[in-house]
Amino acid sequence: MRAKTAVVVGAQWGDEGKGKIVDVLSERFSAVARYGGGHNAGHTVVIGGQKFVLQIIPCGVPRPQCKCIVGNGVVLDPIYLLDELARLRGMGVSIDGRLYLSNRAQVILPYHRMIELAAESAPGRQKIGTTSKGIGPAYQDKMSRGGLRVVDLLNPSLLKTHIEAACQEKNAIAYALFGAAPLDSAKMYEEYAAAADQIRPFAADTGRLLNSILASGGSVLFEGAQGTMLDIDHGTYPFVTSSSATAGGAVTGSGIGPTAIGMVIGVTKAYVTRVGEGPFPTEIHDPSGDALRARGHEYGAVTGRPRRCGWLDIPLLRYSNRVNGTEWLVVTKLDVLDELDEIPVCTGYEINGKVTDEIPADVQGFESAKPRYTKLKGWRQSTEGINEFDRLPQAARDYLRFQERESGARIGMVSTGPDRGQIIHLPEFAQALNSIHAVS
C-alpha cells in the first residue's frame, strides 16, 4: 500500500506557484510540512481575493484542520517568524495548537545577514543574486558544525555563550574581508532571548510528530521551497540556493524515511522564469518577454524583483522529473499565454556545434547552449478561470499534451488564474490522490 504522503516540488527555478498548489491539495491532508529553505522563499496563496504571502509557515495554514510543520531542514529566523505570525493573526488565521517548529532546525542570526550582504556587495566577487537574508551563511554554519539550533535557542545560557563567541568571530571576519561595522552581541542576545520565549510553545520533535501522524493513519503533504534548478546538488551550480530543493530533501529535511514518500508532484509554469543571476537558455530578450512579465505579474513575492522570463524548456523539465521521480505535473499560469499566436517550446540545445536534448552539468555549457525550438499554435482566447480540461481551447489542450508527452510525467492539474478555485483537476490525478490521502 502506498504511503499517505505527497511531495510538492518546483520543477524549474522556483516561483512556479507551489503555494497555490499546496493550498489546493492541503484540503486532503492531515498536515503540511515545509522541509527546506528559509524566509527567502515566498509562497503566495489567494483565497477569495485575499492574498497570503507566506515565507516560513507552510501553505496549509489557511486550512483550519491542517497541522503546519516546519522541519529540521529549514533555516529559521525567529524575528521574521514572529512578524509572519503577527500578520497571519491580524488576518484572522488561527495558529496556536497547529504550528510546530523542529527543535533541530538551524537558527539564522544577524551576523549571517551581515556576512551575506557584505559578500554579495563586495567588489570583484561573483554575484549569485541572493536575497541577502542570511540563508547561505546559516547553512554554511550548519555544515561546519558551528550553527545554533532551535533547541539551543531555548537555552538562555547556551544562547548567550554562542552569540558572544560567534559575534567575536564573525565581526572580525566581516571587518577584515569587507570592512563591515561590528554587531553588538549584548543587544543581539536580548532580542533573540525575548524571541525564544515567544517561540518556545511551538518547538517540538517534528520528526517524531510526522511519523506519529503517518503511523496513526494520517497523511502528510511535503512543501518544497525554491525549485529543482536551484538545488545545491542538482541545480545550475554555483547559481543555486544552499539547501536540497528536490524531492529527496523531504526525507532529510523532515525526519521521515525514504519509504514513506508516496507521490511526487512537480509544479511547472507554462513558460519559465528565473530570479537573480545564472544561466537561462530560453530567456526572452525581446518585447515578448516584457509582455509575459506584465501578464504574469512576474515579480518576486519576497523581494519584488522582476523575474526573467523565457519559453518552456523541455530538456530542463525532463531532467527535473528524473531527479525528483516526478509522477505528476501541475502546470500553472496557462492563461498568461492566452494572447499569443504562436508559442515556441525548447526541445533541445546546440552546444559547441553539437545537438543534445540533455542539460549540461556545467555553467559554461548552459551559458553557451542555443535552444532549438518547436513552435506550437496559440489559442488566442481566454482560458482564465476555466476549471474543466475539455473546456480549454483545442490548441491549449494540444500544448499541454505536448508538454506531458515530451517531459515524461503526466499532467494532473492546470492552474488558470491565481485564486484557489481557478484550477483544473484531471480525473486520473484525483484518483491517484484518493489512493493516498485518507485524512484521519
Side-chain angles (χ1 to χ4, degrees), residues 28 263 328 426-437:
R28 297 169 173 265
M263 176 189 292
W328 294 96
L426 276 77
E428 300 88 349
F429 181 58
Q431 290 171 10
L433 282 175
N434 288 336
S435 72
I436 68 166
H437 78 266

Side-chain angles (χ1 to χ4, degrees), residues 201-214:
F202 303 108
D205 183 341
T206 54
R208 180 180 181 182
L209 173 61
L210 286 166
N211 281 282
S212 175
I213 290 170
L214 295 174

Side-chain angles (χ1 to χ4, degrees), residues 66-194:
C66 261
K67 291 182 172 67
C68 293
I69 296 165
V70 177
N72 57 275
V74 174
V75 287
L76 181 69
D77 188 314
I79 305 302
Y80 274 81
L81 173 65
L82 293 173
D83 286 346
E84 189 170 332
L85 287 172
R87 288 198 306 273
L88 287 170
R89 286 176 172 137
M91 298 174 77
V93 178
S94 171
I95 300 291
D96 298 322
R98 299 178 52 220
L99 177 64
Y100 302 85
L101 308 175
S102 173
N103 53 18
R104 291 175 169 84
Q106 294 280 322
V107 176
I108 300 172
L109 288 156
Y111 50 76
H112 292 128
R113 294 194 297 275
M114 172 184 70
I115 292 286
E116 186 169 36
L117 182 61
E120 189 75 358
S121 305
R125 299 265 300 197
Q126 183 182 48
K127 295 189 184 303
I128 303 298
T130 73
T131 57
S132 297
K133 294 182 181 293
I135 310 299
Y139 277 114
Q140 187 174 357
D141 275 359
K142 173 181 179 176
M143 301 312 285
S144 67
R145 301 179 295 277
L148 184 83
R149 301 190 299 173
V150 168
V151 67
D152 307 318
L153 177 75
L154 304 179
N155 182 328
S157 61
L158 194 155
L159 175 63
K160 190 171 190 294
T161 302
H162 181 93
I163 285 177
E164 287 174 350
C167 277
Q168 186 174 7
E169 175 190 339
K170 306 296 185 184
N171 282 340
I173 291 171
Y175 179 76
L177 293 181
F178 313 115
L183 296 172
D184 185 334
S185 62
K187 181 180 178 182
M188 190 186 305
Y189 169 73
E190 290 177 8
E191 184 179 17
Y192 281 78

Side-chain angles (χ1 to χ4, degrees), residues 350-361:
E350 182 181 327
I351 303 175
N352 298 325
K354 295 181 179 179
V355 176
T356 179
D357 62 359
E358 290 288 329
I359 69 168

